[in-house]
Amino acid sequence: MIPVEIARRQYRYFSAHTNSWPIEETFRFAGCFYGGVACVTDRISGKERLIDTSGVTLHEFTEFLSCSGFVDADNRAGRYSVLSDDLRSKFCILDRDLKLKPLPSANAVSNVYSLGNFVVVQFASGELEVLNWEHNKLINPVAIFGLRANRLGNWTVATSKSLDQWRYLDVNAGVLLGPVYDNAYPFENGLSIASHAMKWHIIDSAFRNLVTLEMDSLEPFSNGFAVGVTLEDEIGLLDRTGDFLPLSAYSTIEAVKRTGLTIANRDAMNWSIDIIRTNGEILASGMDTASFLDNDFPFFVATRNDRELYLDSDARPIELATI
């Protein structure tokens, strides 16, 4: 179901499958569903609460005024929901059993987010802590100043404040693995991208260099492809074998979504956005803005000439039924 702002500060849920508005209630704000649960703001009281796909209230918040919903840092259904007060000075975690778990230390905490079975706590100093709720302990073999995470537990962490020394962290065991890299990303299906001594490498789980590349920049693998920029300033997509498909018509390209599509912008100044396949085929074009919301009911939301557009996960237009 898609949360739609039908009027200013008035949201309702639309189902593209049934072409209907299945939840009668109107909310001040409505979030996407993750794992069958969404966070909404009551239109009258202004309080946040969790609802299921039938609109039934599962939990209402009193002390904590902001709720992330059960969405992880990778925008997929998660195990925990982060709660905070209006000043983001107090944080708490709500698990799937709707039990509150206070942080073990809330001093100078600036941000909190969840991923899989772990919670990441960022302090005002910039240092990060990884909290394993299952064993109720912090997993930190070294001081961490940057973190790139995935659900598999093989994360990369920056061990220097300058973010120029990256190691692999097995968060399940709490140990560092492999050499020190200038830049490194988490593994996806056994492969990762890391850089050292001005060269980029596709590496395997044993940290062997499978492919060496001379590129200006590379992003992590996302659903089999990595966004890269050549030394000649040409942008494109790199596959797992190291083959590079230039897409020079674009100035920026987002990470490939789990549906095999991505968002590409032709003009960084004036914005002319397309939704494309990984081979460059254009499915939707000429948009002013576009974003992909990866949730239980993934969809694209875009604007063209000040008109809001909704597209399904295959970039097909969704026509909203009259209320």
Side-chain angles (χ1 to χ4, degrees):
M1 287 192 289
I2 301 171
V4 177
E5 188 173 18
I6 58 174
R8 187 173 182 271
R9 293 188 177 183
Q10 296 184 38
Y11 286 79
R12 287 194 62 182
Y13 286 100
F14 178 75
S15 171
H17 298 293
T18 61
N19 193 36
S20 65
W21 305 84
I23 298 176
E24 292 187 3
E25 188 175 358
T26 300
F27 305 97
R28 186 182 300 183
F29 177 79
C32 293
F33 280 92
Y34 296 93
V37 178
C39 186
V40 299
T41 303
D42 189 89
R43 186 181 174 192
I44 305 301
S45 69
K47 293 182 178 180
E48 294 198 0
R49 51 192 167 96
L50 297 175
I51 63 170
D52 64 17
T53 54
S54 298
V56 175
T57 297
L58 304 176
H59 189 89
E60 186 171 358
F61 304 105
T62 55
E63 180 181 4
F64 295 95
L65 302 181
S66 178
C67 171
S68 68
F70 287 98
V71 52
D72 275 355
D74 59 0
N75 291 319
R76 289 193 287 174
R79 183 166 186 169
Y80 303 107
S81 177
V82 177
L83 312 179
S84 64
D85 61 13
D86 56 344
L87 298 177
R88 292 186 65 81
S89 60
K90 185 177 181 181
F91 292 88
C92 194
I93 302 297
L94 185 74
D95 67 15
R96 279 284 182 178
D97 296 325
L98 302 182
K99 295 178 180 178
L100 290 173
K101 293 177 177 283
L103 291 176
S105 173
N107 295 328
V109 172
S110 62
N111 194 22
V112 180
Y113 58 91
S114 70
L115 192 73
N117 292 330
F118 302 94
V119 174
V120 179
V121 181
Q122 182 175 6
F123 295 92
S125 64
E127 193 167 341
L128 303 171
E129 297 277 10
V130 181
L131 181 62
N132 182 344
W133 283 116
E134 300 306 307
H135 299 93
N136 197 29
K137 66 180 180 180
L138 294 173
I139 303 173
N140 273 66
V142 294
I144 297 174
F145 297 95
L147 184 148
R148 295 163 179 163
N150 64 12
R151 289 173 174 261
L152 302 178
N154 47 24
W155 301 355
T156 53
V157 295
T159 57
S160 69
K161 286 188 177 181
S162 57
L163 305 182
D164 59 358
Q165 296 178 19
W166 289 84
R167 296 284 306 274
Y168 282 87
L169 171 67
D170 182 340
V171 290
N172 296 295
V175 295
L176 292 168
L177 304 171
V180 178
Y181 292 99
D182 300 329
N183 205 344
Y185 301 114
F187 282 90
E188 180 185 76
N189 296 324
L191 296 181
S192 181
I193 291 175
S195 70
H196 180 67
M198 306 295 291
K199 292 186 184 297
W200 290 90
H201 308 278
I202 298 177
I203 63 174
D204 63 13
S205 57
F207 306 105
R208 295 174 296 199
N209 296 337
L210 303 182
V211 181
T212 297
L213 302 152
E214 292 190 1
M215 301 283 290
D216 182 71
S217 66
L218 276 173
E219 298 297 319
F221 279 123
S222 175
N223 298 292
F225 294 88
V227 177
V229 178
T230 67
L231 297 177
E232 292 76 31
D233 203 33
E234 187 171 38
I235 196 169
L237 293 175
L238 183 84
D239 68 15
R240 290 167 56 86
T241 67
D243 287 340
F244 183 76
L245 173 66
L247 295 168
S248 55
Y250 300 103
S251 59
T252 60
I253 301 173
E254 291 188 8
V256 173
K257 318 305 177 188
R258 64 182 168 106
T259 58
L261 308 183
T262 189
I263 296 171
N265 187 6
R266 295 178 180 271
D267 190 335
M269 296 296 293
N270 297 312
W271 292 57
S272 177
I273 297 174
D274 299 341
I275 299 175
I276 63 174
R277 299 188 192 276
T278 54
N279 62 3
E281 179 187 354
I282 299 173
L283 300 180
S285 63
M287 293 170 289
D288 303 317
T289 64
S291 58
F292 180 70
L293 284 80
D294 194 351
N295 56 89
D296 292 357
F297 311 95
F299 65 96
F300 293 89
V301 59
T303 58
R304 184 190 292 129
N305 299 327
D306 296 325
R307 179 172 175 261
E308 195 162 52
L309 309 171
Y310 294 91
L311 304 97
D312 67 15
S313 57
D314 295 317
R316 295 172 298 202
I318 298 173
E319 298 296 333
L320 302 178
T322 303
I323 298 178

